[in-house]
Amino acid sequence: MKVAIAGAGAVGRSIARELLRGGHRVMLLERQLDHIDPAAIPDAVWVHADACELSLLENADLETYEVVIAATGDDKANLVHALLAKTEFGVRRVVARVNDPRNEWLFNESWGVDVAVSTPRLLASLVEEAVSVGDLVRLMTLRQGQANLVEITLPADTQLAGKPVRTLKMPRDTALVTILRGGRVIVPQPDDPFEGDDELLFVTSVEAEEDLRLTLATHGVRP
C-alpha cells in the first residue's frame, strides 16, 4: 500500500519504520523543517508541508495514497488533515491519533476518521484485558464507530472448556475472529474446542455488543 503519515515526530517515524518493514510505500509529511531528516528513514518519501494546507497536499499527490495516518501531536491538526484526506482527496482509509482523550468524541466519520487511536484509552483497555478475566473488554473502535474489537479471557474453569466453537451461538453482526492460546494465534473453526484461559477476540457491531455479553453470560463466562 501507499501510506501517507502526517507528522514526522517520534510516533510518525515509528509507524513509518513498521510499515516499511512490511513492504509498504510511505510518505512522511512534516511542517517543521528541523524535523525533516531523510537520513533517519531513507526509504520513506519526505515532504516539507503543513498537513492542513490543501495546496501543499495537492502537490504531494495525496489522492494517490490508499491510507492516511494523522499522527501529529496536535488534535486539531489531525482532525483537519483527516477531513481533507477524506473529503478532498477521497482517501479510502483514514487513521487518526488522539492525543487528548477528552477530544476522542470528535474523531468520527463527521471529521473523516475511520479509525481513532487513543493511546491512553488503548493502554487502559489492555490493563483491563489483563486483569478482567471473564469480562468483555473493548479494545478498539472500527469502521467509523460502527463496530468494535472486543476481547474476553475465559476463566480457567469455564463451562465452555472442551466444547466446540459452534456451541457459542453468536448474535447477529458478531464474529469470533481469533483465539489466543498461550503463544498461538488460532483462526477458529466450528469443531475447535475452547480451553480455559483462552483469549477470545470478537468483532461486533455496537448494537450487538450487549447481546454478546448476554450470550457469554448464558455459558457462565461472566464472573
Side-chain angles (χ1 to χ4, degrees):
M1 292 186 299
K2 292 181 68 177
V3 183
I5 303 172
V11 173
R13 293 186 186 197
S14 296
I15 296 169
R17 291 188 183 98
E18 290 297 323
L19 290 170
L20 287 166
R21 276 195 286 268
H24 304 292
R25 289 176 288 173
V26 175
M27 174 175 66
L28 281 162
L29 296 162
E30 176 55 54
R31 70 179 180 85
Q32 297 187 52
L33 193 57
D34 58 348
H35 284 186
I36 294 180
D37 183 11
I41 310 178
D43 293 330
V45 175
W46 290 74
V47 176
H48 180 214
D50 187 325
C52 300
E53 288 290 337
L54 183 60
S55 61
L56 297 179
L57 297 178
E58 289 174 343
N59 292 338
D61 297 324
L62 195 66
E63 71 278 1
T64 66
Y65 286 78
E66 299 160 88
V67 179
V68 158
I69 303 173
T72 80
D74 184 334
D75 283 347
K76 295 188 294 295
N78 288 343
L79 284 170
V80 171
H81 183 64
L83 185 63
L84 290 175
K86 183 65 72 173
T87 60
E88 298 296 329
F89 297 95
V91 175
R92 180 172 57 85
R93 188 163 184 82
V94 177
V95 180
R97 172 190 178 189
V98 184
N99 296 279
D100 187 339
R102 292 174 297 182
N103 296 330
E104 192 172 1
W105 65 278
L106 288 166
F107 285 73
N108 55 36
E109 61 182 336
S110 298
W111 283 93
V113 177
D114 294 308
V115 178
V117 180
S118 170
T119 301
R121 171 65 65 85
L122 183 58
L123 289 173
S125 295
L126 292 173
V127 169
E128 291 178 353
E129 181 267 333
V131 300
S132 301
V133 174
D135 203 4
L136 200 64
V137 177
R138 184 180 298 176
L139 297 180
M140 186 174 292
T141 299
L142 309 169
R143 293 299 302 164
Q144 303 173 346
Q146 298 174 27
N148 294 317
L149 177 66
V150 298
E151 184 272 353
I152 189 166
T153 300
L154 298 179
D157 59 351
T158 178
Q159 295 178 15
L160 284 171
K163 295 180 179 178
V165 166
R166 65 173 181 273
T167 303
L168 191 60
K169 303 300 183 184
M170 253 77 70
R172 183 178 179 181
D173 299 328
T174 299
L176 173 62
V177 292
T178 303
I179 299 174
L180 303 179
R181 181 177 296 158
R184 297 176 59 201
V185 177
I186 300 169
V187 178
Q189 303 300 316
D191 292 328
D192 289 341
F194 291 110
E195 293 183 9
D197 298 320
D198 279 353
E199 295 179 50
L200 312 182
L201 295 180
F202 299 88
V203 173
T204 179
S205 68
V206 175
E207 294 79 10
E209 190 172 321
E210 185 57 32
D211 290 337
L212 177 59
R213 292 180 191 273
L214 295 173
T215 298
L216 292 167
T218 63
H219 291 278
V221 174
R222 292 286 296 274

